[in-house]
Amino acid sequence: SKGGYEHFMLKEIHEQPGSLRNTIHGRLNALTGTVELDEFPAETFADVEQVQFVGMGTSYHAAMYASSMLSSRGVPAYAFQAGEYGLVRPPVTEDTLVIAVTQSGETADTLDALRRAKSAGADTVAVTNTVGSSITRECDDTLLIRAGPEIGVAATKTFCSQVTALSLLGERLVEDITGTRTSDGRDLVEALSRLPGHVQEILDTSVAPALAQELEDSDSYFFIGRGVAHSAALEGALKFKEITYEHAEGFAASELKHGPLALVTPDTPVFAIFTGFEDDATLSSMKEVQARGAPVIAVTSKTDGEIAEFADYVLPIPETHPDVAGIPASVQLQLVAYHAAHLLDRPIDKPRNLAKSVTVH
Ligand code: F6R
C-alpha cells in the first residue's frame, strides 16, 4: 500500500531515513570509526589490484559515484555501463574485482557483464537489494543494500542505499588495498552514521514543491557537478526526464564550455551541486551559465556565502563529508523531479515505455 502517499515514489523517497538506517545497521563501529561487514572481514581484498564496477541506469550512476570515491583515495577503480562492458573489453586478471551493482539483481546487461568478467577470472561481488536474485547466485559474494521493496519504476531509495552500501564496501577496499586507515576514512564513517538524520532534515524542510512550480514551462533542465556530484548530476537528470518526460541532461561542470553551454538560455534552469569539494570551480561554472541568463539552483550546505548569494534558488543540504554530500543532494533532486512530474500530471509510478527491471536485451 502507498501508506497515505499519493504515489509509491513519494512514499519511497520518504522512507529513506529508515532504509538508510537499515543499510548501515550493524556495519559501522562508532567507537573505532571503522566499517565492519560480516560478509567481508578485514584483508578480504588484500590481493585486489583493480576494481571494475558494472551497472545500468541509476545503478551505473551509483557505480560511477563509488569508483570516483575509490580512485580519489588511491584505489584503481573504473565504472562501466554494463551494456558496453563486452564491447569495451577492459583487461581483467585474477587480481581484478568486479562489482555488479543492480537493485533487482536481474538486469540482463549487468548479468552478461558479470559472466564475462567471471570467465576472464575476476573475483565478483554483487551489490543488490534482492535476496536470492540471479546476480547473487552468480557472484562469489553479495552485499545486500537492505532498502526494502521498491515499487515505483524510478529508483529512489535504492539509489541512496546503493551509494551508502558502496561507501561501506569502499572503506573495506581502501583499507585492504592501500593498507592504510586514514582520518578521512573515520570522517566518512562518521558522516554515514549521521546520514539518516540528515535525509530526514531534508524531507522535513524541502522547498522542492514551490521550486518545481517556479521552473514549470522551461525548455530543458540541466544538472552539473564535479567528482561524486557529477554522478549525482547524471542521476538528477535521469530521474527528472524519466518521470516528467521533459528534456533533462547532466554534465560534469568542467564539460560545459566544450559544447553544452550552447544550449543554455533563460529557459534552461541549471541545478549546480556543491559537495564542499572544488566548490570554487563549480561556482565559476554556475556564474558562466548565469551570464547566459539561465536560472541557477544551488544544491549546497553553504547557505550564507557567495554560492547562495549568486544562486537564484537554493536547495539546502546539511554539512557533511564531501563524498557523502551527493546523497542528500540526490534526495533534494528526487523531490524536485517528483513535484515537477506531479504538476504535469504524469503517471509517476509507471512512466511510459519503462519497466522496473529490464531482463531482456
Ligand atoms: C531509473 C531506473 C533504471 C534502473 C536500471 C538498472 O530510475 O530505475 O535506470 O536503475 O534499469 O536496474 P537494476 O538496478 O535493477 O539493475
mmCIF file of all heavy atoms in Angstrom, residues 228-274:
data_model
loop_
_atom_site.group_PDB
_atom_site.id
_atom_site.type_symbol
_atom_site.label_atom_id
_atom_site.label_comp_id
_atom_site.label_asym_id
_atom_site.label_seq_id
_atom_site.Cartn_x
_atom_site.Cartn_y
_atom_site.Cartn_z
ATOM 1 N N VAL A 228 32.060 13.252 -7.224
ATOM 2 C CA VAL A 228 30.855 12.460 -6.949
ATOM 3 C C VAL A 228 29.588 13.227 -7.358
ATOM 4 O O VAL A 228 28.568 12.613 -7.708
ATOM 5 C CB VAL A 228 30.741 12.000 -5.471
ATOM 6 C CG1 VAL A 228 31.916 11.106 -5.080
ATOM 7 C CG2 VAL A 228 30.578 13.162 -4.514
ATOM 8 N N ALA A 229 29.657 14.549 -7.334
ATOM 9 C CA ALA A 229 28.479 15.345 -7.720
ATOM 10 C C ALA A 229 28.194 15.248 -9.220
ATOM 11 O O ALA A 229 27.083 15.537 -9.666
ATOM 12 C CB ALA A 229 28.649 16.802 -7.296
ATOM 13 N N HIS A 230 29.191 14.840 -10.007
ATOM 14 C CA HIS A 230 28.929 14.566 -11.424
ATOM 15 C C HIS A 230 27.966 13.379 -11.538
ATOM 16 O O HIS A 230 26.976 13.427 -12.280
ATOM 17 C CB HIS A 230 30.251 14.298 -12.150
ATOM 18 C CG HIS A 230 30.098 13.906 -13.580
ATOM 19 N ND1 HIS A 230 31.008 13.108 -14.226
ATOM 20 C CD2 HIS A 230 29.133 14.174 -14.501
ATOM 21 C CE1 HIS A 230 30.617 12.909 -15.471
ATOM 22 N NE2 HIS A 230 29.479 13.534 -15.672
ATOM 23 N N SER A 231 28.220 12.333 -10.755
ATOM 24 C CA SER A 231 27.310 11.184 -10.757
ATOM 25 C C SER A 231 25.925 11.597 -10.265
ATOM 26 O O SER A 231 24.905 11.180 -10.821
ATOM 27 C CB SER A 231 27.814 10.065 -9.841
ATOM 28 O OG SER A 231 29.197 9.891 -9.971
ATOM 29 N N ALA A 232 25.881 12.425 -9.225
ATOM 30 C CA ALA A 232 24.590 12.886 -8.690
ATOM 31 C C ALA A 232 23.860 13.743 -9.730
ATOM 32 O O ALA A 232 22.626 13.708 -9.817
ATOM 33 C CB ALA A 232 24.798 13.662 -7.389
ATOM 34 N N ALA A 233 24.620 14.484 -10.544
ATOM 35 C CA ALA A 233 24.011 15.313 -11.594
ATOM 36 C C ALA A 233 23.378 14.422 -12.673
ATOM 37 O O ALA A 233 22.255 14.661 -13.130
ATOM 38 C CB ALA A 233 25.059 16.245 -12.208
ATOM 39 N N LEU A 234 24.111 13.370 -13.067
ATOM 40 C CA LEU A 234 23.558 12.442 -14.075
ATOM 41 C C LEU A 234 22.302 11.767 -13.532
ATOM 42 O O LEU A 234 21.304 11.599 -14.245
ATOM 43 C CB LEU A 234 24.594 11.380 -14.453
ATOM 44 C CG LEU A 234 25.867 11.876 -15.144
ATOM 45 C CD1 LEU A 234 26.760 10.696 -15.502
ATOM 46 C CD2 LEU A 234 25.541 12.675 -16.401
ATOM 47 N N GLU A 235 22.324 11.404 -12.267
ATOM 48 C CA GLU A 235 21.177 10.751 -11.654
ATOM 49 C C GLU A 235 20.003 11.732 -11.531
ATOM 50 O O GLU A 235 18.850 11.372 -11.786
ATOM 51 C CB GLU A 235 21.574 10.163 -10.290
ATOM 52 C CG GLU A 235 20.454 9.552 -9.478
ATOM 53 C CD GLU A 235 19.692 8.443 -10.191
ATOM 54 O OE1 GLU A 235 20.159 7.927 -11.222
ATOM 55 O OE2 GLU A 235 18.587 8.112 -9.703
ATOM 56 N N GLY A 236 20.301 12.983 -11.160
ATOM 57 C CA GLY A 236 19.246 14.003 -11.062
ATOM 58 C C GLY A 236 18.540 14.176 -12.399
ATOM 59 O O GLY A 236 17.305 14.269 -12.474
ATOM 60 N N ALA A 237 19.318 14.183 -13.479
ATOM 61 C CA ALA A 237 18.750 14.367 -14.817
ATOM 62 C C ALA A 237 17.947 13.139 -15.254
ATOM 63 O O ALA A 237 16.866 13.259 -15.835
ATOM 64 C CB ALA A 237 19.866 14.651 -15.817
ATOM 65 N N LEU A 238 18.459 11.955 -14.954
ATOM 66 C CA LEU A 238 17.753 10.726 -15.348
ATOM 67 C C LEU A 238 16.383 10.657 -14.672
ATOM 68 O O LEU A 238 15.360 10.389 -15.308
ATOM 69 C CB LEU A 238 18.588 9.489 -14.987
ATOM 70 C CG LEU A 238 17.923 8.133 -15.264
ATOM 71 C CD1 LEU A 238 17.667 7.935 -16.756
ATOM 72 C CD2 LEU A 238 18.772 6.975 -14.743
ATOM 73 N N LYS A 239 16.385 10.940 -13.344
ATOM 74 C CA LYS A 239 15.117 10.901 -12.602
ATOM 75 C C LYS A 239 14.137 11.903 -13.192
ATOM 76 O O LYS A 239 12.966 11.616 -13.391
ATOM 77 C CB LYS A 239 15.415 11.255 -11.144
ATOM 78 C CG LYS A 239 14.618 10.523 -10.135
ATOM 79 C CD LYS A 239 15.218 9.204 -9.722
ATOM 80 C CE LYS A 239 15.534 8.265 -10.875
ATOM 81 N NZ LYS A 239 16.151 7.038 -10.485
ATOM 82 N N PHE A 240 14.660 13.109 -13.478
ATOM 83 C CA PHE A 240 13.791 14.174 -13.962
ATOM 84 C C PHE A 240 13.179 13.807 -15.320
ATOM 85 O O PHE A 240 11.970 13.910 -15.520
ATOM 86 C CB PHE A 240 14.589 15.486 -14.073
ATOM 87 C CG PHE A 240 13.723 16.703 -14.132
ATOM 88 C CD1 PHE A 240 13.389 17.385 -12.969
ATOM 89 C CD2 PHE A 240 13.218 17.169 -15.336
ATOM 90 C CE1 PHE A 240 12.569 18.504 -13.002
ATOM 91 C CE2 PHE A 240 12.397 18.280 -15.387
ATOM 92 C CZ PHE A 240 12.069 18.954 -14.221
ATOM 93 N N LYS A 241 14.006 13.324 -16.244
ATOM 94 C CA LYS A 241 13.474 13.035 -17.590
ATOM 95 C C LYS A 241 12.520 11.847 -17.556
ATOM 96 O O LYS A 241 11.506 11.829 -18.225
ATOM 97 C CB LYS A 241 14.603 12.827 -18.613
ATOM 98 C CG LYS A 241 15.356 11.530 -18.525
ATOM 99 C CD LYS A 241 16.459 11.432 -19.585
ATOM 100 C CE LYS A 241 17.675 12.246 -19.216
ATOM 101 N NZ LYS A 241 18.919 11.865 -19.907
ATOM 102 N N GLU A 242 12.836 10.828 -16.758
ATOM 103 C CA GLU A 242 12.020 9.619 -16.856
ATOM 104 C C GLU A 242 10.611 9.807 -16.300
ATOM 105 O O GLU A 242 9.675 9.197 -16.793
ATOM 106 C CB GLU A 242 12.715 8.386 -16.272
ATOM 107 C CG GLU A 242 12.768 8.282 -14.788
ATOM 108 C CD GLU A 242 13.465 7.002 -14.318
ATOM 109 O OE1 GLU A 242 13.240 5.940 -14.899
ATOM 110 O OE2 GLU A 242 14.238 7.081 -13.344
ATOM 111 N N ILE A 243 10.453 10.685 -15.328
ATOM 112 C CA ILE A 243 9.080 10.831 -14.807
ATOM 113 C C ILE A 243 8.364 12.090 -15.274
ATOM 114 O O ILE A 243 7.142 12.132 -15.243
ATOM 115 C CB ILE A 243 9.005 10.697 -13.264
ATOM 116 C CG1 ILE A 243 9.826 11.780 -12.588
ATOM 117 C CG2 ILE A 243 9.440 9.303 -12.810
ATOM 118 C CD1 ILE A 243 9.525 11.857 -11.089
ATOM 119 N N THR A 244 9.107 13.120 -15.739
ATOM 120 C CA THR A 244 8.403 14.322 -16.242
ATOM 121 C C THR A 244 8.209 14.281 -17.754
ATOM 122 O O THR A 244 7.381 14.996 -18.291
ATOM 123 C CB THR A 244 9.182 15.622 -15.931
ATOM 124 O OG1 THR A 244 10.400 15.600 -16.673
ATOM 125 C CG2 THR A 244 9.447 15.779 -14.440
ATOM 126 N N TYR A 245 9.008 13.487 -18.472
ATOM 127 C CA TYR A 245 9.096 13.463 -19.945
ATOM 128 C C TYR A 245 9.637 14.779 -20.494
ATOM 129 O O TYR A 245 9.498 15.066 -21.686
ATOM 130 C CB TYR A 245 7.742 13.168 -20.620
ATOM 131 C CG TYR A 245 7.004 11.943 -20.117
ATOM 132 C CD1 TYR A 245 5.638 11.808 -20.363
ATOM 133 C CD2 TYR A 245 7.653 10.926 -19.444
ATOM 134 C CE1 TYR A 245 4.937 10.696 -19.927
ATOM 135 C CE2 TYR A 245 6.962 9.808 -19.000
ATOM 136 C CZ TYR A 245 5.599 9.695 -19.237
ATOM 137 O OH TYR A 245 4.906 8.597 -18.800
ATOM 138 N N GLU A 246 10.234 15.600 -19.639
ATOM 139 C CA GLU A 246 10.880 16.834 -20.106
ATOM 140 C C GLU A 246 12.343 16.523 -20.413
ATOM 141 O O GLU A 246 12.929 15.602 -19.845
ATOM 142 C CB GLU A 246 10.821 17.909 -19.014
ATOM 143 C CG GLU A 246 9.414 18.357 -18.646
ATOM 144 C CD GLU A 246 8.738 19.101 -19.793
ATOM 145 O OE1 GLU A 246 9.303 20.118 -20.232
ATOM 146 O OE2 GLU A 246 7.664 18.657 -20.245
ATOM 147 N N HIS A 247 12.924 17.349 -21.292
ATOM 148 C CA HIS A 247 14.336 17.135 -21.609
ATOM 149 C C HIS A 247 15.220 17.541 -20.429
ATOM 150 O O HIS A 247 15.130 18.667 -19.938
ATOM 151 C CB HIS A 247 14.733 17.937 -22.851
ATOM 152 C CG HIS A 247 16.192 17.803 -23.178
ATOM 153 N ND1 HIS A 247 17.002 18.867 -23.467
ATOM 154 C CD2 HIS A 247 16.978 16.700 -23.212
ATOM 155 C CE1 HIS A 247 18.233 18.425 -23.676
ATOM 156 N NE2 HIS A 247 18.239 17.115 -23.536
ATOM 157 N N ALA A 248 16.046 16.622 -19.983
ATOM 158 C CA ALA A 248 16.951 16.899 -18.867
ATOM 159 C C ALA A 248 18.283 16.224 -19.149
ATOM 160 O O ALA A 248 18.312 15.115 -19.698
ATOM 161 C CB ALA A 248 16.359 16.366 -17.562
ATOM 162 N N GLU A 249 19.383 16.899 -18.808
ATOM 163 C CA GLU A 249 20.707 16.317 -19.036
ATOM 164 C C GLU A 249 21.640 16.660 -17.898
ATOM 165 O O GLU A 249 21.578 17.776 -17.363
ATOM 166 C CB GLU A 249 21.323 16.877 -20.315
ATOM 167 C CG GLU A 249 20.964 16.127 -21.577
ATOM 168 C CD GLU A 249 21.812 16.574 -22.750
ATOM 169 O OE1 GLU A 249 22.959 16.114 -22.869
ATOM 170 O OE2 GLU A 249 21.316 17.403 -23.534
ATOM 171 N N GLY A 250 22.509 15.751 -17.581
ATOM 172 C CA GLY A 250 23.528 16.005 -16.570
ATOM 173 C C GLY A 250 24.888 16.093 -17.213
ATOM 174 O O GLY A 250 25.166 15.396 -18.198
ATOM 175 N N PHE A 251 25.728 16.966 -16.666
ATOM 176 C CA PHE A 251 27.090 17.146 -17.190
ATOM 177 C C PHE A 251 28.078 17.239 -16.039
ATOM 178 O O PHE A 251 27.718 17.659 -14.945
ATOM 179 C CB PHE A 251 27.213 18.466 -17.965
ATOM 180 C CG PHE A 251 26.233 18.641 -19.072
ATOM 181 C CD1 PHE A 251 25.206 19.569 -18.954
ATOM 182 C CD2 PHE A 251 26.332 17.893 -20.228
ATOM 183 C CE1 PHE A 251 24.296 19.752 -19.977
ATOM 184 C CE2 PHE A 251 25.420 18.071 -21.261
ATOM 185 C CZ PHE A 251 24.403 18.995 -21.144
ATOM 186 N N ALA A 252 29.344 16.914 -16.349
ATOM 187 C CA ALA A 252 30.415 17.336 -15.450
ATOM 188 C C ALA A 252 30.506 18.848 -15.619
ATOM 189 O O ALA A 252 30.443 19.356 -16.754
ATOM 190 C CB ALA A 252 31.720 16.676 -15.857
ATOM 191 N N ALA A 253 30.659 19.575 -14.532
ATOM 192 C CA ALA A 253 30.707 21.034 -14.641
ATOM 193 C C ALA A 253 31.817 21.461 -15.604
ATOM 194 O O ALA A 253 31.674 22.418 -16.364
ATOM 195 C CB ALA A 253 30.898 21.659 -13.266
ATOM 196 N N SER A 254 32.906 20.709 -15.624
ATOM 197 C CA SER A 254 34.051 21.062 -16.477
ATOM 198 C C SER A 254 33.747 20.888 -17.965
ATOM 199 O O SER A 254 34.456 21.402 -18.820
ATOM 200 C CB SER A 254 35.244 20.184 -16.104
ATOM 201 O OG SER A 254 34.878 18.820 -16.215
ATOM 202 N N GLU A 255 32.696 20.162 -18.274
ATOM 203 C CA GLU A 255 32.339 19.819 -19.650
ATOM 204 C C GLU A 255 31.603 20.966 -20.346
ATOM 205 O O GLU A 255 31.559 21.030 -21.581
ATOM 206 C CB GLU A 255 31.392 18.617 -19.532
ATOM 207 C CG GLU A 255 31.239 17.692 -20.677
ATOM 208 C CD GLU A 255 30.225 16.569 -20.318
ATOM 209 O OE1 GLU A 255 29.991 16.272 -19.127
ATOM 210 O OE2 GLU A 255 29.661 16.017 -21.271
ATOM 211 N N LEU A 256 31.025 21.869 -19.532
ATOM 212 C CA LEU A 256 30.103 22.878 -20.065
ATOM 213 C C LEU A 256 30.630 23.634 -21.272
ATOM 214 O O LEU A 256 29.981 23.704 -22.312
ATOM 215 C CB LEU A 256 29.768 23.902 -18.973
ATOM 216 C CG LEU A 256 28.628 23.571 -18.037
ATOM 217 C CD1 LEU A 256 28.528 24.670 -16.993
ATOM 218 C CD2 LEU A 256 27.312 23.459 -18.812
ATOM 219 N N LYS A 257 31.825 24.210 -21.124
ATOM 220 C CA LYS A 257 32.304 25.107 -22.181
ATOM 221 C C LYS A 257 32.771 24.352 -23.412
ATOM 222 O O LYS A 257 33.147 24.939 -24.412
ATOM 223 C CB LYS A 257 33.366 26.071 -21.648
ATOM 224 C CG LYS A 257 34.557 25.424 -20.984
ATOM 225 C CD LYS A 257 35.675 26.435 -20.743
ATOM 226 C CE LYS A 257 35.438 27.329 -19.532
ATOM 227 N NZ LYS A 257 35.561 26.603 -18.252
ATOM 228 N N HIS A 258 32.731 23.031 -23.365
ATOM 229 C CA HIS A 258 33.139 22.236 -24.532
ATOM 230 C C HIS A 258 31.944 21.819 -25.379
ATOM 231 O O HIS A 258 32.032 20.878 -26.155
ATOM 232 C CB HIS A 258 33.945 21.025 -24.064
ATOM 233 C CG HIS A 258 35.161 21.416 -23.293
ATOM 234 N ND1 HIS A 258 36.304 21.895 -23.891
ATOM 235 C CD2 HIS A 258 35.384 21.477 -21.950
ATOM 236 C CE1 HIS A 258 37.190 22.206 -22.963
ATOM 237 N NE2 HIS A 258 36.646 21.962 -21.775
ATOM 238 N N GLY A 259 30.829 22.492 -25.221
ATOM 239 C CA GLY A 259 29.667 22.183 -26.055
ATOM 240 C C GLY A 259 28.324 22.514 -25.428
ATOM 241 O O GLY A 259 27.566 23.321 -25.954
ATOM 242 N N PRO A 260 28.025 21.921 -24.278
ATOM 243 C CA PRO A 260 26.681 22.096 -23.702
ATOM 244 C C PRO A 260 26.280 23.550 -23.453
ATOM 245 O O PRO A 260 25.093 23.873 -23.496
ATOM 246 C CB PRO A 260 26.773 21.323 -22.378
ATOM 247 C CG PRO A 260 27.826 20.304 -22.599
ATOM 248 C CD PRO A 260 28.825 20.938 -23.522
ATOM 249 N N LEU A 261 27.262 24.430 -23.248
ATOM 250 C CA LEU A 261 26.942 25.829 -22.973
ATOM 251 C C LEU A 261 26.103 26.445 -24.096
ATOM 252 O O LEU A 261 25.327 27.377 -23.878
ATOM 253 C CB LEU A 261 28.256 26.608 -22.789
ATOM 254 C CG LEU A 261 28.255 27.867 -21.928
ATOM 255 C CD1 LEU A 261 27.547 27.653 -20.599
ATOM 256 C CD2 LEU A 261 29.694 28.320 -21.678
ATOM 257 N N ALA A 262 26.222 25.884 -25.310
ATOM 258 C CA ALA A 262 25.444 26.391 -26.448
ATOM 259 C C ALA A 262 23.941 26.198 -26.232
ATOM 260 O O ALA A 262 23.125 26.864 -26.866
ATOM 261 C CB ALA A 262 25.886 25.686 -27.731
ATOM 262 N N LEU A 263 23.571 25.297 -25.340
ATOM 263 C CA LEU A 263 22.152 25.015 -25.099
ATOM 264 C C LEU A 263 21.551 25.917 -24.028
ATOM 265 O O LEU A 263 20.337 25.929 -23.826
ATOM 266 C CB LEU A 263 21.985 23.566 -24.621
ATOM 267 C CG LEU A 263 22.349 22.452 -25.586
ATOM 268 C CD1 LEU A 263 22.388 21.114 -24.848
ATOM 269 C CD2 LEU A 263 21.341 22.394 -26.723
ATOM 270 N N VAL A 264 22.422 26.628 -23.315
ATOM 271 C CA VAL A 264 21.967 27.352 -22.122
ATOM 272 C C VAL A 264 21.303 28.682 -22.489
ATOM 273 O O VAL A 264 21.868 29.492 -23.222
ATOM 274 C CB VAL A 264 23.160 27.568 -21.159
ATOM 275 C CG1 VAL A 264 22.778 28.492 -20.005
ATOM 276 C CG2 VAL A 264 23.649 26.221 -20.624
ATOM 277 N N THR A 265 20.080 28.866 -22.007
ATOM 278 C CA THR A 265 19.309 30.089 -22.272
ATOM 279 C C THR A 265 18.529 30.442 -20.999
ATOM 280 O O THR A 265 18.545 29.675 -20.040
ATOM 281 C CB THR A 265 18.263 29.871 -23.401
ATOM 282 O OG1 THR A 265 17.183 29.062 -22.857
ATOM 283 C CG2 THR A 265 18.840 29.194 -24.624
ATOM 284 N N PRO A 266 17.802 31.570 -21.004
ATOM 285 C CA PRO A 266 16.966 31.883 -19.841
ATOM 286 C C PRO A 266 15.877 30.834 -19.583
ATOM 287 O O PRO A 266 15.261 30.833 -18.514
ATOM 288 C CB PRO A 266 16.350 33.240 -20.202
ATOM 289 C CG PRO A 266 17.345 33.863 -21.143
ATOM 290 C CD PRO A 266 17.879 32.712 -21.950
ATOM 291 N N ASP A 267 15.635 29.951 -20.535
ATOM 292 C CA ASP A 267 14.608 28.921 -20.343
ATOM 293 C C ASP A 267 15.177 27.547 -19.995
ATOM 294 O O ASP A 267 14.484 26.533 -20.120
ATOM 295 C CB ASP A 267 13.742 28.817 -21.608
ATOM 296 C CG ASP A 267 12.942 30.092 -21.815
ATOM 297 O OD1 ASP A 267 12.357 30.582 -20.839
ATOM 298 O OD2 ASP A 267 12.956 30.615 -22.951
ATOM 299 N N THR A 268 16.442 27.517 -19.614
ATOM 300 C CA THR A 268 17.036 26.231 -19.206
ATOM 301 C C THR A 268 17.605 26.344 -17.791
ATOM 302 O O THR A 268 18.772 26.681 -17.620
ATOM 303 C CB THR A 268 18.174 25.798 -20.161
ATOM 304 O OG1 THR A 268 19.225 26.780 -20.115
ATOM 305 C CG2 THR A 268 17.682 25.650 -21.591
ATOM 306 N N PRO A 269 16.807 26.061 -16.785
ATOM 307 C CA PRO A 269 17.333 26.100 -15.422
ATOM 308 C C PRO A 269 18.506 25.128 -15.267
ATOM 309 O O PRO A 269 18.500 24.050 -15.877
ATOM 310 C CB PRO A 269 16.160 25.635 -14.560
ATOM 311 C CG PRO A 269 14.958 25.636 -15.434
ATOM 312 C CD PRO A 269 15.395 25.657 -16.850
ATOM 313 N N VAL A 270 19.494 25.524 -14.477
ATOM 314 C CA VAL A 270 20.657 24.674 -14.228
ATOM 315 C C VAL A 270 20.770 24.418 -12.720
ATOM 316 O O VAL A 270 20.859 25.358 -11.926
ATOM 317 C CB VAL A 270 21.958 25.333 -14.738
ATOM 318 C CG1 VAL A 270 23.167 24.445 -14.440
ATOM 319 C CG2 VAL A 270 21.869 25.602 -16.253
ATOM 320 N N PHE A 271 20.744 23.137 -12.366
ATOM 321 C CA PHE A 271 20.953 22.732 -10.968
ATOM 322 C C PHE A 271 22.443 22.485 -10.781
ATOM 323 O O PHE A 271 23.013 21.646 -11.478
ATOM 324 C CB PHE A 271 20.188 21.439 -10.661
ATOM 325 C CG PHE A 271 18.687 21.599 -10.670
ATOM 326 C CD1 PHE A 271 17.987 21.550 -11.866
ATOM 327 C CD2 PHE A 271 17.992 21.809 -9.494
ATOM 328 C CE1 PHE A 271 16.603 21.708 -11.893
ATOM 329 C CE2 PHE A 271 16.610 21.966 -9.498
ATOM 330 C CZ PHE A 271 15.911 21.924 -10.707
ATOM 331 N N ALA A 272 23.078 23.232 -9.874
ATOM 332 C CA ALA A 272 24.512 23.060 -9.618
ATOM 333 C C ALA A 272 24.684 22.423 -8.245
ATOM 334 O O ALA A 272 24.201 22.943 -7.245
ATOM 335 C CB ALA A 272 25.222 24.408 -9.665
ATOM 336 N N ILE A 273 25.362 21.274 -8.237
ATOM 337 C CA ILE A 273 25.509 20.512 -6.987
ATOM 338 C C ILE A 273 26.879 20.779 -6.367
ATOM 339 O O ILE A 273 27.919 20.545 -6.989
ATOM 340 C CB ILE A 273 25.346 19.004 -7.256
ATOM 341 C CG1 ILE A 273 24.007 18.741 -7.958
ATOM 342 C CG2 ILE A 273 25.432 18.210 -5.951
ATOM 343 C CD1 ILE A 273 23.866 17.339 -8.505
ATOM 344 N N PHE A 274 26.850 21.283 -5.146
ATOM 345 C CA PHE A 274 28.077 21.590 -4.404
ATOM 346 C C PHE A 274 28.208 20.601 -3.252
ATOM 347 O O PHE A 274 27.309 20.473 -2.432
ATOM 348 C CB PHE A 274 27.992 23.001 -3.818
ATOM 349 C CG PHE A 274 27.961 24.081 -4.858
ATOM 350 C CD1 PHE A 274 26.757 24.484 -5.445
ATOM 351 C CD2 PHE A 274 29.140 24.709 -5.256
ATOM 352 C CE1 PHE A 274 26.735 25.489 -6.404
ATOM 353 C CE2 PHE A 274 29.119 25.708 -6.214
ATOM 354 C CZ PHE A 274 27.912 26.105 -6.789
#
